[in-house]
Amino acid sequence: MTQTITLQIKQPFANPLKKGYPLLTKDAVDVRQLPAQQGALLRLVDQHQRFIGTGYYGIQNKGIGWVLTTDANEAIDQAFFSQKLKKAIENRAAFFNNDDTTAFRVFNGEGDGIGGLTIDFFNGYYMVSWYSEGIYCFKDMIYAALAETVQYEAIYEKKRFDGKGQYMEQDDFVMGIPGEFPIMVKENGMTYAVHLNDGAMTGIFLDQRDVRLAIRERYAKQTNMLNTFSYTGAFSVAAALGGALQTTSVDVAKRSLAKTIEQFSVNNIDYEAQDIKVMDVFHYFKYAQRHELQFDLVVLDPPSFARTKQMTFSTAKDYPKLLKDAIAITAKNGIIVASTNNASFGMKKFKGFIDQAFQATNTRYKIMEEHSLPKDFRVPREYPEFNYLKVVFIQKLS
């Protein structure tokens, strides 16, 4: 039986929680009152001891727990998790019925009512990501609820809650019949090779689906494309399938080479006709400038934080510099796809970074389109700050 403790919420924080704000922050409580173990249920009350909601204690980068219900009579049991999962799956019926796309998010944390938990679908396989030790304490009930709700080949998991919020190395197989990897998934008719039991990453970031489609359909034709921080080359594949004359994929990770070759190959694209470079993106910018290279389409999708031997990069402070480097090697009327998944700032601030970089390089620009999370990555409507993805297609004018 999970321990339940009563926790008083400080005055200014009580109202938003009563209205359904799902995140419990450290500032909202007297930390001395917190339970010893993560996973404890929290009966949240205001200063007059009036019930606010029931949540759980689980430390992750965003806060110290999540509210699960504001109904005083609702028990947090397997039936509770089953009901949340069933509703989430009903909400994605259109995805389950679409043969052209067989990889998408089935359950998106607080957007589906359980912060700290996401579930992705990959062509019959499910991958559950746990973002705190607190939510992981409910794993038996959640797996039982998932197994009774969906048909699956196998279920895998990613534990992302070591001390630094990083992935914990382990065998990620949970139940079912282990897959033969890579498995092939479809995304708007494109094919991607996915590995569910090979470290933190699967081979594709599902939240960029609409961006890859836009690149393929509207921006790639007849272009010379540069994909920076390219990972497994998913944007490069979309550009090549959209008619790019040539793609260049640059990533510092050694394994990006084999992974990118794999993604081109499963789409019957001759990878030898594409350029794949294993090198630091910032060194590549210097190289491209020295050789006077110009690109018609540049994708910038850096990690929020990155550290190499020479430097530390953080999108929150270094994005304008990254953009200035990109502007220098983008052809006139070329497109820069500026993207970030850093949740610590919103679209307004991101557009400020864009403006700053173009002003500093004395370059005119035009915003062509903007994207945030796709439909399957549900976000609580009243709390757009949980919509972390910001992507802006920018045309460089003169």
Side-chain angles (χ1 to χ4, degrees):
M1 188 65 192
T2 312
Q3 177 199 11
T4 303
I5 72 150
T6 298
L7 190 64
Q8 189 176 323
I9 299 296
K10 293 178 185 170
Q11 180 44 35
F13 298 96
N15 267 347
L17 292 174
K18 280 178 190 168
K19 288 183 182 148
Y21 188 74
L23 180 63
L24 202 55
T25 57
K26 211 174 186 171
D27 304 339
V29 300
D30 175 351
V31 291
R32 292 169 304 184
Q33 308 293 311
L34 287 169
Q37 299 296 321
Q38 290 191 61
L41 285 173
L42 306 172
R43 185 175 169 273
L44 308 171
V45 297
D46 65 14
Q47 66 193 48
H48 305 295
Q49 297 300 304
R50 286 180 303 219
F51 177 81
I52 294 173
T54 305
Y56 75 86
Y57 176 41
I59 297 166
Q60 66 178 89
N61 57 356
K62 292 174 179 168
I64 57 160
W66 296 92
V67 180
L68 296 171
T69 179
T70 52
D71 175 353
N73 299 315
E74 187 163 30
I76 307 304
D77 52 15
Q78 191 179 314
F80 169 85
F81 292 114
S82 290
Q83 179 228 336
K84 293 284 186 206
L85 287 170
K86 284 191 178 99
K87 186 158 190 246
I89 284 157
E90 279 164 23
N91 285 333
R92 280 129 178 124
F95 284 93
F96 280 103
N97 294 326
N98 178 359
D99 293 341
D100 257 1
T101 294
T102 59
F104 48 90
R105 179 145 293 181
V106 168
F107 196 95
N108 195 43
E110 62 282 355
D112 286 295
I114 306 170
L117 172 77
T118 65
I119 304 175
D120 295 317
F121 175 81
F122 294 97
N123 197 12
Y125 295 82
Y126 286 82
M127 194 185 77
V128 181
S129 294
W130 307 92
Y131 288 89
S132 76
E133 205 179 308
I135 190 64
Y136 195 64
C137 291
F138 297 91
K139 70 178 187 298
D140 293 346
M141 284 193 277
I142 292 171
Y143 279 134
L146 183 60
E148 69 172 33
T149 307
V150 299
Q151 289 181 304
Y152 57 87
E153 299 290 337
I155 296 172
Y156 287 81
E157 71 178 11
K158 304 285 178 199
K159 283 157 53 178
R160 299 180 181 274
F161 54 82
D162 80 345
K164 298 191 187 71
Q166 301 294 315
Y167 166 77
M168 294 160 77
E169 284 292 345
Q170 59 162 19
D171 177 359
D172 289 335
F173 173 74
V174 179
M175 63 176 95
I177 297 161
E180 291 285 320
F181 296 112
I183 56 166
M184 299 305 150
V185 300
K186 286 244 173 291
E187 181 188 275
N188 295 311
M190 300 181 271
T191 302
Y192 288 105
V194 169
H195 298 259
L196 300 185
N197 204 359
D198 184 25
M201 309 296 198
T202 61
I204 187 162
F205 292 119
L206 297 179
D207 54 4
Q208 294 280 11
R209 180 190 317 110
D210 295 347
V211 179
R212 285 187 285 269
L213 182 64
I215 285 171
R216 186 188 78 190
E217 299 290 295
R218 297 191 280 286
Y219 295 97
K221 203 169 183 185
Q222 299 290 302
T223 59
N224 179 13
M225 183 257 202
L226 171 64
N227 181 9
T228 63
F229 309 98
S230 59
Y231 180 37
T232 66
F235 287 123
S236 306
V237 167
L241 292 173
L245 302 171
Q246 160 98 56
T247 69
T248 301
S249 306
V250 184
D251 198 293
V252 76
K254 289 201 168 43
R255 58 189 252 160
S256 65
L257 177 63
K259 296 277 187 192
T260 302
I261 287 173
E262 179 178 59
Q263 300 296 24
F264 279 129
S265 302
V266 300
N267 285 282
N268 301 314
I269 298 162
D270 178 7
Y271 66 86
E272 290 182 335
Q274 311 299 325
D275 200 2
I276 308 168
K277 292 199 168 349
V278 176
M279 71 187 286
D280 183 314
V281 167
F282 293 96
H283 295 168
Y284 183 79
F285 281 134
K286 291 189 182 109
Y287 164 88
Q289 276 193 276
R290 272 201 316 276
H291 292 81
E292 296 180 359
L293 302 180
Q294 291 276 291
F295 295 92
D296 315 296
L297 178 60
V298 177
V299 175
L300 296 179
D301 185 27
S304 292
F305 302 97
R307 185 174 273 125
T308 62
K309 283 175 189 153
Q310 284 82 27
M311 66 176 296
T312 304
F313 172 85
S314 143
T315 44
K317 65 177 201 313
D318 300 319
Y319 211 103
K321 181 195 177 309
L322 179 66
L323 263 169
K324 285 193 283 191
D325 287 341
I327 291 165
I329 59 170
T330 302
K332 189 180 170 193
N333 296 325
I335 298 288
I336 296 173
V337 183
S339 171
T340 179
N341 63 359
N342 190 324
S344 70
F345 55 86
M347 183 63 100
K348 191 174 173 195
K349 186 169 179 184
F350 188 48
K351 284 184 171 169
F353 290 162
I354 292 167
D355 197 59
Q356 199 182 321
F358 277 90
Q359 297 270 4
T361 54
N362 204 7
T363 311
R364 285 170 52 246
Y365 69 97
K366 178 179 167 192
I367 290 178
M368 306 297 285
E369 57 185 89
E370 293 168 33
H371 292 261
S372 54
L373 288 172
K375 272 199 182 79
D376 48 325
F377 282 69
R378 286 173 73 92
V379 175
R381 198 175 300 126
E382 312 80 356
Y383 308 110
E385 62 268 36
F386 292 109
N387 194 332
Y388 59 81
L389 185 68
K390 297 160 282 291
V391 184
V392 183
F393 284 70
I394 315 156
Q395 185 173 40
K396 173 182 168 177
L397 297 173
S398 60

